[in-house]
Amino acid sequence: MGLQPLEFSDCYLDSPWFRERVRAHEAELEKTNKFIKELLKDGKNLIAATKNLSAAQRKFAHSLRDFRFEFIGDAETDDERYIDASLNEFSNFLKSLEEQREILALSVTETLIKPLERFRKEQLGAVKEEKKKFDKETEKNYSLLEKHLNLSAKKKELQLQEADNQVEQNRKHFYELSLEYVCKLQEIQERKKFECVEPVLSFFQGLFTFYHQGYELAKDFNHYKMALQINIQNTRNRFEGTRSEVEELMNKIRRNPQEHKRANHFTMEGYLYVQEKRPAPFGSSWVKHYCMYRKETKKFSMIPFEHRSGGKVGDAELFVLTYCTKRNTDTIDRRFCFDLEASDRPGVPMTMQAFSEEDRKLWMEALDGKEALLINLNRVNAKREGSAQLDKIGFTIIKKCISAVETRGINDQGLYRVVGVSSKVQRLLSLLMDSKTCNEVDLENSVDWEVKTITSAMKQYLRNLPEPLMTYELHGEFIVPAKSGSPESRVNAVHFLVHKLPEKNKQMLEILVKHLANVSKHAKMNLMTVANLGVVFGPTLMRPQEETVAAIMDLKFQNIVVEILIENHEKIFKTQPDASLPEPIPMSVAPPNAPPRQSRRQGQRIKRPLAVYNLCLELDDADSHSSPREDTPTGSMDSLSSPSPTPAFSSSPLGLLDGNHLIMDSGDLAGWTTNLPAQSRPSMVSWMNIPSANPAATDAALPTFFFPSPATGTDRAVESVAHRKARAVYPCEAEHSSELSFQIGAIFEDVQFSREPGWLEGTLNGKRGLIPQNYVQFL
């Protein structure tokens, strides 16, 4: 049963039962007061915890935003770029969520804390004050009554009458106060039901709003989340393929390191211990150096390096080798030693110690040392197994396999991913590659050959070709568009390159890609999406001539090229490339990002647009008699990267050196070419994408660029070409009013080199502005 009502008539009786009911009401209000006090305390703790959670979430979001993944190689796939950007997206999502949480924390204060505090202070506090008055008046009333009743009857009538009037007046005041107090008690009992619950309801409304906002954010985020899951899955699939290739290369190198030595311009390089002689009492010490030798120039360089001292690199020493002699153990108390003599220190041999006898033999052979043993290093990679060729039998094999797959197993899950038994695959491949038995093999109707055996045999045949279907020569060019540019420019570049393939290669590729496109149409059943087919056939159709980890890191871009082929096979194979579009440009000439403007990045070191760091060539002596390679065509990258006796250039931490000039940016590079030997200019100019028919024309085609002449110390200018035209090979969106926005194929008039490194000035549609140099091709 609830509280009994307080009747106003009972105020005049003031019975014990009335007083008991009043105390019950007072106890209930006291309990309500304690409840509200505790609720306010918990609410404030909730706000503090919410703010702490919000601060922690924001810190977490900042950590996500500030982290950047580093990648191996010189470019990322689109999937990897989206994954990199995902951390920033997650950060923005949390930031939006925390903004809503802050609104919730503010609403708790306004809708819950303040109303309850106001009710407790204004209503319950007022009742407490009324109770104090009521208790005080009760005490006064009954004290006066007792005193009045104790008056002697012998008092004068006037005195007794005055006392009676005073008591009566006091009683009336007491009754009025009692009525007001009883009214207030009952009012508060009824008011508390909505005054307390309404703020709590508002709090929950704010809470529901917060959760609804979170739901809306999650719903908006769902599309991005689904796309990101696909990016992650694609990247994981490519990782699995790359990992297996890396492990295979690691095992090959583990079995025979010398066969897989990377090709570079050094004849021999590695660690040697060098004897450093000291004054007589101290004897000598042996210091580990990293040594490099180039036989063409007889230059020997060595750098002291100690792994145990934190990898500190010492000063490099360079000298020209005169001779090398083997040291026997009867002349020195150490094994594996040999002597070197430098041209600038005749008669003062330097003693070196190799790690092993085999290592010493390699160094002695490279250095043309006396008593050097000629060792057959067998550096030439063995020819791939099998004798697969792009001949009539080869086309028959591919067509028979494709017909069988499309007839029997195009809906098989994991088609081309599930491999067959190796012995069965080899047996089928042997039968197919034999002209006597090839036509007798019935793949469409025979149950002897499983679909996975047929698909594995087909892939094995393509891998056994002497050269990959998309050729070694075009491998690097196919990789470039996969690393940069818009989707449209990628398709155009691959379209152009496919038509540069030998006719048989192109025909075979068309047959295969058409089949793969058909396979991808059944992806709901066979689960082989375009991305999955790219993972499977990327390493099969494309592979670099030299197996290195860097090349394997490009596997993911090979996969992208295959994906482009599958998705656009109709356009690529059925139509000719658009002659109005420019040819694809090597990536070292046209990186996808515009060079940073000095005005945007004050105080920061500018990264140059031309990838001059790709050149790692050593400075030859001025009196070098080496002649340039005649078999290297003009504009070929071989003229820059292959270890040939062409006049070469040294690399330095700051740039490239050509005699006395330090090349710092693209503008310097233009001036640098004028100082090259005449026979080197055409290929360099072609590499810079400045057409030239002969060395004489090269000088006329170079842009203006001022730099100090080492001879005179004055500024001199390379001849400039005015009124040049250029075509855009990449789209660009201007980030500043001084820059031009343009699409692929836009033609610029009156193009000149800007004073700002890496930028050109040109006119487009009547507007003059800056153009990123690596986004255009001169006409």
Side-chain angles (χ1 to χ4, degrees):
M1 184 176 177
L3 295 172
Q4 292 185 7
L6 299 175
E7 297 293 344
F8 291 120
S9 57
D10 289 339
C11 294
Y12 291 93
L13 295 176
D14 200 11
S15 64
W17 299 277
F18 169 74
R19 286 286 177 162
E20 188 175 339
R21 289 196 294 273
V22 169
R23 283 195 295 272
H25 279 261
E26 291 173 344
E28 172 61 24
L29 290 180
E30 183 60 29
K31 187 173 74 170
T32 302
N33 184 52
K34 288 182 179 179
F35 160 72
I36 294 176
K37 185 177 180 181
E38 193 68 24
L39 191 64
L40 288 170
K41 179 182 176 183
D42 293 340
K44 291 175 180 177
N45 289 338
L46 176 63
I47 293 173
T50 300
K51 289 180 178 179
N52 290 336
L53 174 61
S54 182
Q57 293 268 48
R58 285 184 178 276
K59 188 175 185 304
F60 182 70
H62 288 159
S63 298
L64 288 174
R65 184 196 63 195
D66 295 340
F67 182 75
R68 291 291 180 273
F69 289 106
E70 288 295 338
F71 58 90
I72 300 175
D74 56 6
E76 294 179 286
T77 64
D78 288 342
D79 291 318
E80 289 172 328
R81 278 192 285 271
Y82 294 144
I83 290 174
D84 291 346
S86 67
L87 296 184
N88 197 49
E89 289 292 331
F90 294 152
S91 175
N92 292 337
F93 177 81
L94 284 177
K95 183 180 176 182
S96 300
L97 193 63
E98 293 317 303
E99 288 174 356
Q100 299 300 324
R101 198 188 302 277
E102 286 186 356
I103 294 173
L104 171 65
L106 289 173
S107 71
V108 171
T109 301
E110 296 297 326
T111 61
L112 180 67
I113 303 299
K114 288 185 177 180
L116 288 179
E117 284 182 336
R118 189 162 52 248
F119 174 74
R120 183 168 172 265
K121 180 179 179 181
E122 295 178 0
Q123 302 299 327
L124 296 180
V127 170
K128 281 189 175 183
E129 292 298 321
E130 292 290 331
K131 182 180 183 306
K132 288 179 182 178
K133 291 180 182 179
F134 179 71
D135 290 341
K136 183 178 179 182
E137 200 61 37
T138 299
E139 180 67 25
K140 179 181 177 182
N141 179 61
Y142 286 103
S143 297
L144 187 61
L145 184 60
E146 288 179 6
K147 184 179 178 182
H148 177 68
L149 294 176
N150 287 330
L151 284 176
S152 172
K154 296 179 180 180
K155 291 279 185 182
K156 292 182 180 181
E157 186 63 28
L158 184 60
Q159 289 179 331
L160 292 175
Q161 191 175 355
E162 287 179 358
D164 291 343
N165 291 336
Q166 185 179 2
V167 169
E168 186 62 27
Q169 187 177 358
N170 189 71
R171 184 184 293 116
K172 285 181 180 180
H173 180 68
F174 170 69
Y175 288 154
E176 287 178 4
L177 194 62
S178 179
L179 288 170
E180 290 176 0
Y181 181 55
V182 166
C183 181
K184 192 68 174 177
L185 281 176
Q186 296 191 115
E187 177 189 332
I188 296 301
Q189 291 292 2
E190 294 301 314
R191 179 188 285 270
K192 71 179 182 182
K193 294 176 183 177
F194 58 85
E195 291 280 8
C196 292
V197 174
E198 189 175 36
V200 177
L201 176 61
S202 298
F203 161 72
F204 274 94
Q205 182 61 40
L207 195 63
F208 296 150
T209 301
F210 168 71
Y211 285 128
H212 180 72
Q213 291 289 344
Y215 168 76
E216 290 295 327
L217 283 172
K219 195 163 74 170
D220 293 341
F221 192 73
N222 191 58
H223 178 73
Y224 178 81
K225 181 187 71 174
M226 297 297 292
L228 183 61
Q229 286 174 338
I230 295 173
N231 299 141
I232 291 172
Q233 187 59 45
N234 289 343
T235 304
R236 178 181 283 112
N237 292 342
R238 290 174 185 137
F239 161 75
E240 294 296 339
T242 303
R243 183 175 63 175
S244 62
E245 294 287 336
V246 170
E247 289 176 353
E248 182 181 348
L249 176 61
M250 179 183 67
N251 292 329
K252 285 181 182 178
I253 293 177
R254 181 183 289 157
R255 288 192 294 270
N256 197 335
Q258 292 303 326
E259 282 191 6
H260 295 273
K261 181 183 176 183
R262 286 191 63 193
N264 57 33
H265 55 282
F266 292 114
T267 308
M268 186 70 183
E269 60 181 321
Y271 283 102
L272 292 171
Y273 279 89
V274 181
Q275 185 183 34
E276 295 186 355
K277 295 180 181 180
R278 298 179 179 178
F282 303 102
S284 62
S285 63
W286 295 81
V287 180
K288 185 168 63 176
H289 287 66
Y290 191 80
C291 302
M292 297 161 285
Y293 177 68
R294 190 171 182 183
K295 184 177 286 189
E296 291 85 353
T297 58
K298 290 189 172 294
K299 286 188 175 181
F300 191 100
S301 57
M302 54 186 191
I303 304 171
F305 183 80
E306 180 53 61
H307 293 84
R308 292 172 295 183
S309 63
K312 184 177 180 181
V313 181
D315 296 329
E317 182 179 353
L318 178 68
F319 59 86
V320 177
L321 180 69
T322 303
Y323 75 85
C324 168
T325 310
K326 178 181 177 182
R327 287 287 295 270
N328 295 319
T329 52
D330 57 351
T331 61
I332 189 170
D333 191 23
R334 278 185 175 245
R335 300 186 298 163
F336 322 133
C337 293
F338 57 92
D339 286 346
L340 302 181
E341 184 173 299
S343 60
D344 58 346
R345 284 169 283 182
V348 185
M350 289 180 288
T351 302
M352 310 281 189
Q353 183 181 25
F355 285 179
S356 63
E357 183 61 32
E358 180 68 21
D359 193 29
R360 177 169 68 171
K361 288 177 181 178
L362 294 175
W363 277 103
M364 293 288 291
E365 180 194 6
L367 300 170
D368 295 325
K370 296 178 181 179
E371 299 183 26
L373 298 178
L374 295 177
I375 306 168
N376 180 17
L377 297 178
N378 192 25
R379 292 191 180 94
V380 180
N381 291 330
K383 291 184 179 179
R384 294 183 175 266
E385 298 180 1
S387 56
Q389 299 293 333
L390 284 179
D391 52 14
K392 184 177 179 180
I393 291 180
F395 277 87
T396 303
I397 292 172
I398 293 298
K399 288 177 180 178
K400 285 176 75 76
C401 291
I402 288 175
S403 178
V405 170
E406 294 190 347
T407 302
R408 297 174 51 191
I410 199 161
N411 290 323
D412 289 3
Q413 284 194 7
L415 185 66
Y416 286 108
R417 213 159 203 188
V418 179
V419 296
V421 179
S422 179
S423 58
K424 291 184 179 180
V425 172
Q426 292 299 331
R427 180 163 158 261
L428 174 59
L429 201 55
S430 299
L431 291 172
L432 290 172
M433 293 177 67
D434 189 339
S435 58
K436 297 178 181 178
T437 58
C438 179
N439 293 327
E440 298 175 3
V441 179
D442 184 5
L443 298 179
E444 293 187 24
N445 303 309
S446 175
V447 294
D448 296 337
W449 306 109
E450 297 176 281
V451 172
K452 63 181 180 181
T453 305
I454 298 171
T455 56
S456 296
M458 181 171 145
K459 290 187 294 181
Q460 188 64 43
Y461 164 80
L462 292 170
R463 293 192 192 106
N464 285 350
L465 290 171
E467 186 179 36
L469 204 55
M470 298 174 75
T471 73
Y472 290 132
E473 181 183 358
L474 295 177
H475 176 84
E477 293 186 48
F478 272 113
I479 291 293
V480 170
K483 291 183 176 181
S484 61
S486 64
E488 182 185 358
S489 66
R490 292 180 184 180
V491 175
N492 290 335
V494 173
H495 188 189
F496 178 85
L497 293 170
V498 164
H499 287 266
K500 288 178 68 176
L501 289 170
E503 190 59 32
K504 285 187 177 180
N505 295 58
K506 189 175 74 171
Q507 290 175 6
M508 179 72 82
L509 186 63
E510 180 179 1
I511 294 169
L512 183 62
V513 169
K514 182 179 178 182
H515 164 64
L516 295 181
N518 191 23
V519 170
S520 68
K521 291 176 183 177
H522 296 77
K524 288 186 178 179
M525 296 293 294
N526 59 36
L527 305 182
M528 293 304 291
T529 61
V530 172
N532 287 339
L533 289 170
V535 170
V536 174
F537 279 91
T540 302
L541 301 179
M542 299 178 65
R543 61 179 181 270
Q545 197 157 10
E546 183 185 4
E547 286 186 288
T548 63
V549 174
I552 291 174
M553 290 299 110
D554 279 345
L555 273 178
K556 53 197 174 187
F557 299 109
Q558 296 174 191
N559 305 344
I560 291 173
V561 173
V562 175
E563 292 171 23
I564 292 171
L565 287 171
I566 296 173
E567 291 175 339
N568 304 275
H569 67 283
E570 291 287 345
K571 173 183 177 180
I572 289 174
F573 293 101
K574 299 299 182 185
T575 64
Q576 290 296 318
D578 188 350
S580 64
L581 293 176
E583 294 185 13
I585 301 175
M587 197 169 89
S588 58
V589 177
N593 297 323
R597 295 281 305 282
Q598 291 176 345
S599 58
R600 295 185 199 154
R601 301 178 60 182
Q602 292 293 338
Q604 296 189 23
R605 186 174 181 270
I606 296 176
K607 190 173 182 181
R608 303 304 173 187
L610 292 180
V612 217
Y613 47 79
N614 283 341
L615 281 77
C616 183
L617 303 176
E618 191 179 89
L619 175 64
D620 279 343
D621 289 335
D623 57 352
S624 173
H625 300 290
S626 301
S627 59
R629 280 178 53 177
E630 296 180 358
D631 58 339
T632 302
T634 299
S636 170
M637 287 300 293
D638 292 342
S639 62
L640 296 176
S641 59
S642 60
S644 65
T646 51
F649 312 93
S650 69
S651 59
S652 74
L654 296 176
L656 300 177
L657 293 169
D658 74 314
N660 298 313
H661 293 85
L662 178 64
I663 287 85
M664 290 296 293
D665 55 35
S666 59
D668 290 331
L669 191 60
W672 169 52
T673 56
T674 62
N675 295 320
L676 295 178
Q679 64 269 27
S680 298
R681 293 183 193 169
S683 59
M684 177 59 67
V685 172
S686 175
W687 175 69
M688 288 175 62
N689 205 27
I690 303 175
S692 170
N694 54 64
T698 301
D699 289 340
L702 291 173
T704 301
F705 192 86
F706 291 89
F707 54 91
S709 169
T712 64
T714 61
D715 287 351
R716 64 184 179 85
V718 182
E719 294 180 9
S720 72
V721 174
H723 310 298
R724 290 291 303 275
K725 289 186 178 182
R727 180 191 287 114
V729 294
Y730 295 107
C732 181
E733 187 70 28
E735 298 180 11
H736 191 271
S737 59
S738 62
E739 301 171 12
L740 294 177
S741 295
F742 50 85
Q743 297 298 320
I744 296 175
I747 302 296
F748 302 95
E749 303 284 345
D750 191 19
V751 179
Q752 298 177 359
F753 277 77
S754 168
R755 292 186 179 182
E756 192 157 3
W759 291 80
L760 304 171
E761 290 183 12
T763 303
L764 177 64
N765 299 329
K767 182 181 178 182
R768 186 88 177 158
L770 292 173
I771 312 161
Q773 181 179 343
N774 49 3
Y775 276 54
V776 300
Q777 182 181 35
F778 282 105
L779 300 178

